[in-house]
Amino acid sequence: MRKNNKKELKKDFKNHMVESLELPKDLVYRAAIVTVMGNRELLLENYKGILEYEKEYIRIQAKSCRILVRGKNLNISYYTNEEMKITGIIQSIEYE
């Protein structure tokens, strides 16, 4: 069996188990959860680290992607190992 086939079977099995047991996907996959309140506040959960931090943009590493928040006067109000709150004028959110 090819390595890619094994990987696909393992992924399919995991997806099937998550669906069957109705487990929360964010917990199982550690997917990033982005909650935006208007254009002034963003709450990000399940991130790995802060890559760049400027007033015009903040680049964050999530498990499966990078998240780029662009805007004006951006500020990280607080962060923990699990979540962070970004305030300022949020103009865009990009997934890289």
Side-chain angles (χ1 to χ4, degrees), residues 49-54 57-60 66 68 76 96:
I50 301 165
L51 300 174
E52 295 180 77
Y53 181 14
E54 301 289 334
Y57 68 92
I58 300 173
R59 187 181 314 265
I60 302 143
R66 290 184 178 167
L68 176 62
I76 298 176
E96 304 174 326

Side-chain angles (χ1 to χ4, degrees), residues 2-49:
R2 291 176 146 174
K3 191 174 187 177
N4 286 344
N5 287 344
K6 272 186 170 180
K7 193 173 183 179
E8 286 298 317
L9 285 173
K10 190 174 182 180
K11 186 177 176 182
D12 289 343
F13 177 75
K14 186 174 184 178
N15 289 337
H16 178 71
M17 291 302 293
V18 169
E19 293 294 326
S20 298
L21 299 173
E22 298 180 7
L23 298 171
K25 291 180 184 176
D26 62 306
L27 294 177
V28 175
Y29 297 116
R30 295 227 1 111
I33 300 171
V34 180
T35 306
V36 182
M37 290 151 281
N39 69 337
R40 301 276 182 175
E41 198 170 289
L42 180 144
L43 183 65
L44 176 64
E45 300 174 70
N46 296 337
Y47 73 97
K48 284 182 138 183

